[in-house]
Amino acid sequence: MATCRIKFTLRCPSSDTQRFASTCRLSNPSSPVLLNLTPASASNPKKVSCSSARRRSFGTVRAHMATEEKPVSEDRMLVFVPPHPLIKHWVSVLRNEQTPCPIFRNAMAELGRLLIYEASRDWLPTVTGEIQSPLGVASVEFVDPREPISVVPILRAGLALVEHVSSILPATRTYHLGIGRNEETLQPTVYLNKLPDKFPEGSRVFLVDPMLATGGTIVAAMNLLKDHGVDNKQIKVISAVAAPPALQKLSEKFPGLHVYTGIIDPIVNEKGFIIPGLGDAGDRSFGT
């Protein structure tokens, strides 16, 4: 499979500018961006665009680009940025500083529904059989209600992103995690943990955090899930916007993890906010 290797310069807080290596496959709508995230020295980066012939995927980065054949390892973290026009639309609505709170929250919910739809492709347990239709017998396939998907939103903003999850997934269990971030140190603090003592073997979990910025919160949540019996490969992270510092930490600590995000932004500022991002997702969702 043909891939394009992109080396790009990204700015991170409290560190010098670094270059990271990334591979993005452009062959189909569910193709991932494969992140090596290996620091290297920077030299004369330039801004380029990378897109497929069918405009399936698009990304603008400060980069040197080379095309090569590269297999996908199951042990690598995969980052998916679905190129669906509706995902781009709702991300654009979220970015607009003029978007009022009710519309912002609805846009977050719609984006979450689309991302979970994409993430659940080829992942849900199913059962097959036959039923009688009004005109004859039909072979059918249902999502297996005996194996509900676990949904873990990180409060507060994660609640908005999963608001419409029941319209996508026929059977779910929701467990809440409350993780705050110290505004000075940017370190996470867990203040609410409603996870079960032990997830059943083989459980599939959607971990939902709208903003993957410095990575402290999502790494803390991942560690909690692993402590409660969930393997990396059984977790899919759902986010509205992601940035390289968080993706780097996830890639280093959780091989085999899948991340689905509406867009990847290049910069996290000294206050831990993604630039250009969409502001404070929790405040904008709940009008606080």
Side-chain angles (χ1 to χ4, degrees):
M1 178 179 294
T3 67
C4 72
R5 174 169 291 278
I6 306 174
K7 292 183 178 180
F8 53 98
T9 299
L10 299 161
R11 297 177 184 269
C12 306
S14 67
S15 66
D16 295 331
T17 300
Q18 296 176 320
R19 176 182 296 173
F20 301 96
S22 169
T23 302
C24 65
R25 293 191 303 161
L26 303 172
S27 58
N28 61 66
S30 58
S31 293
V33 178
L34 310 178
L35 299 180
N36 281 331
L37 296 169
T38 305
S41 60
S43 61
N44 300 323
K46 61 182 180 179
K47 191 173 183 180
V48 302
S49 298
C50 174
S51 62
S52 65
R54 297 183 181 180
R55 301 188 65 82
R56 293 281 194 185
S57 179
F58 182 87
T60 301
V61 293
R62 294 169 59 82
H64 294 292
M65 185 177 67
T67 301
E68 62 177 86
E69 294 286 333
K70 189 174 183 65
V72 178
S73 169
E74 292 185 358
D75 293 328
R76 298 182 68 180
M77 186 183 84
L78 305 185
V79 178
F80 296 79
V81 184
H84 197 291
L86 286 174
I87 289 178
K88 296 176 183 179
H89 169 83
W90 292 118
V91 168
S92 300
V93 173
L94 292 170
R95 284 204 193 274
N96 187 356
E97 67 176 358
Q98 300 299 322
T99 299
C101 173
I103 296 176
F104 183 93
R105 182 169 175 174
N106 180 70
M108 188 72 79
E110 291 295 337
L111 178 61
R113 173 160 48 187
L114 292 166
L115 290 172
I116 289 172
Y117 171 84
E118 293 287 348
S120 61
R121 189 189 303 270
D122 301 324
W123 200 55
L124 302 179
T126 60
V127 291
T128 58
E130 291 186 341
I131 60 171
Q132 179 70 44
S133 82
L135 298 178
V137 176
S139 297
V140 294
E141 184 172 3
F142 293 101
V143 173
D144 191 344
R146 298 169 298 179
E147 300 184 47
I149 303 298
S150 297
V151 179
V152 181
I154 298 177
L155 309 184
R156 290 176 301 165
L159 293 174
L161 205 57
V162 301
E163 190 168 323
H164 291 168
V165 68
S166 62
S167 69
I168 289 293
L169 302 177
T172 62
R173 292 193 179 102
T174 301
Y175 304 99
H176 296 94
L177 275 180
I179 304 180
R181 186 175 72 171
N182 186 293
E183 297 301 325
E184 294 182 359
T185 66
L186 304 183
Q187 295 303 306
T189 301
V190 178
Y191 63 86
L192 178 71
N193 181 352
K194 290 296 185 179
L195 299 179
D197 292 336
K198 188 79 171 179
F199 281 90
E201 184 177 354
S203 293
R204 295 169 173 84
V205 179
F206 283 124
L207 178 58
V208 183
D209 186 7
M211 309 301 290
L212 303 184
T214 63
T217 297
I218 194 66
V219 167
M222 283 291 301
N223 285 330
L224 284 172
L225 287 178
K226 290 179 67 67
D227 290 344
H228 289 254
V230 188
D231 183 75
N232 296 345
K233 295 181 180 180
Q234 295 301 109
I235 302 170
K236 294 193 176 186
V237 173
I238 306 296
S239 75
V241 184
L247 296 177
Q248 180 179 14
K249 289 179 182 178
L250 290 173
S251 179
E252 292 171 350
K253 295 177 180 293
F254 308 106
L257 180 68
H258 287 188
V259 177
Y260 284 75
T261 185
I263 198 164
I264 298 176
D265 279 349
I267 299 170
V268 176
N269 68 15
E270 65 281 357
K271 294 183 178 180
F273 283 95
I274 299 173
I275 306 298
L278 47 84
D280 188 308
D283 286 350
R284 298 190 68 193
S285 293
F286 297 100
T288 56

